[in-house]
Amino acid sequence: MAEDEAIPAATLILVRDRESGPPELLMVERAAGMAFAAGAWVFPGGRIDAADEELGATLDDEHGGARIAAIRETLEETAIPVGLGASPRPEHCLEIQAALAGGQQFAAVVAQAGLSLDVGALTPLARWVPRFHAKRRFDTLFFVARAPEGDWMPNVIEGECTGATWVSAAEILHRDRAGEVQLIFPTRRTLERLAQHSYYDAIVADARSHSIEPITPWVEEIGDERFIAIPEGMGFPVVRERLEGLWRG
């Protein structure tokens, strides 16, 4: 892969509705030693590997490999199942997580567990292709999906993530403004978009009402200030942020 070529990746926004208050989202804190976005709070996800593409090619879906990667990474990072025909029990998910972390192929783990895939449970939301980094640039498909029924608590394995939690978009944005957490530009814009909605079905309706086109932020000058900007009309309520002081992971 050329140095300036973006790495294909996928991320998954798991949403669980609440009887009162805005929906909660599953987020993870990236380990401090990671080459990209170290210490940032993000949605579960990672690069799309060759095995994801191979399994995805068996599906009648243009985003098959990305959907597989999003499902696999969420299981590997949090032990929470999504995109499976029937959700296994929490203890079973811990076994699946350990198998994946140990290097077993996702297709083999799914087959051994007698599980089926339900990639249609994932709805594409956006595609981000930032150019902030000369290396480790990612071309990332963002998906949304409903969290499985029950009180699923995320479990993280030492390595890529140092923590995980369920939190509303408004709460994590408040913590970001207070300097308590770090968010990269695409995550912040996505959280602002999600914060507009009070339940999962509204988020899906929003996702389906916008085309999935690559979003590549650019620098623009307004007066004496420089901003990072994205196109309007893509579903994001905030389309620019001051460049000065912007943390880029």
Side-chain angles (χ1 to χ4, degrees), residues 10 22 28-29 40-41 45 65-66 69 71 110 192-193 226-227 232-233:
V28 298
E29 182 181 20
W41 281 88
I71 294 167
V110 168
E192 290 161 349
R193 182 176 178 180
R226 302 176 76 201
F227 292 80
E232 296 184 5

Side-chain angles (χ1 to χ4, degrees), residues 124-128 140-143 190 193 211-213 215 236:
L125 177 73
R127 179 184 172 191
W128 284 86
T140 307
L141 271 165
F142 281 58
F143 295 93
T190 301
R193 182 176 178 180
S211 61
I212 308 300
E213 302 293 335
I215 300 173
F236 297 89

Side-chain angles (χ1 to χ4, degrees), residues 85-211:
S87 294
R89 297 185 302 276
E91 59 270 23
H92 192 185
C93 288
L94 292 175
E95 296 173 359
I96 293 172
Q97 180 187 43
L100 292 172
Q104 291 191 36
Q105 294 293 321
F106 181 57
V109 172
V110 168
Q112 291 168 6
L115 299 171
S116 61
L117 293 171
D118 179 19
V119 298
L122 280 63
T123 300
L125 177 73
R127 179 184 172 191
W128 284 86
V129 194
R131 298 186 183 276
F132 297 148
H133 299 266
K135 297 181 180 179
R136 296 277 184 167
R137 294 201 311 109
F138 291 90
D139 179 345
T140 307
L141 271 165
F142 281 58
F143 295 93
V144 294
R146 189 188 299 275
E149 294 291 334
D151 187 21
W152 288 86
M153 296 302 296
N155 179 73
V156 297
I157 295 177
E158 185 176 352
E160 291 191 6
C161 302
T162 57
T165 190
W166 292 98
V167 62
S168 73
E171 173 61 22
I172 198 75
L173 286 168
H174 172 76
R175 293 175 62 189
D176 173 51
R177 290 189 295 271
E180 299 173 2
V181 300
Q182 291 180 310
L183 300 174
I184 56 177
F185 185 89
T187 305
R188 187 180 294 109
R189 300 289 83 83
T190 301
L191 286 165
E192 290 161 349
R193 182 176 178 180
L194 298 170
Q196 299 177 110
H197 305 297
S198 57
Y199 51 93
Y200 172 73
D201 287 344
I203 294 173
V204 170
D206 177 13
R208 291 175 175 167
S209 68
H210 296 88
S211 61

Side-chain angles (χ1 to χ4, degrees), residues 48-57 65 68-69 72 105-107:
I48 303 168
D49 60 30
D52 296 325
E53 293 285 16
E54 183 178 346
L55 182 55
I68 296 297
R72 173 184 58 78
Q105 294 293 321
F106 181 57

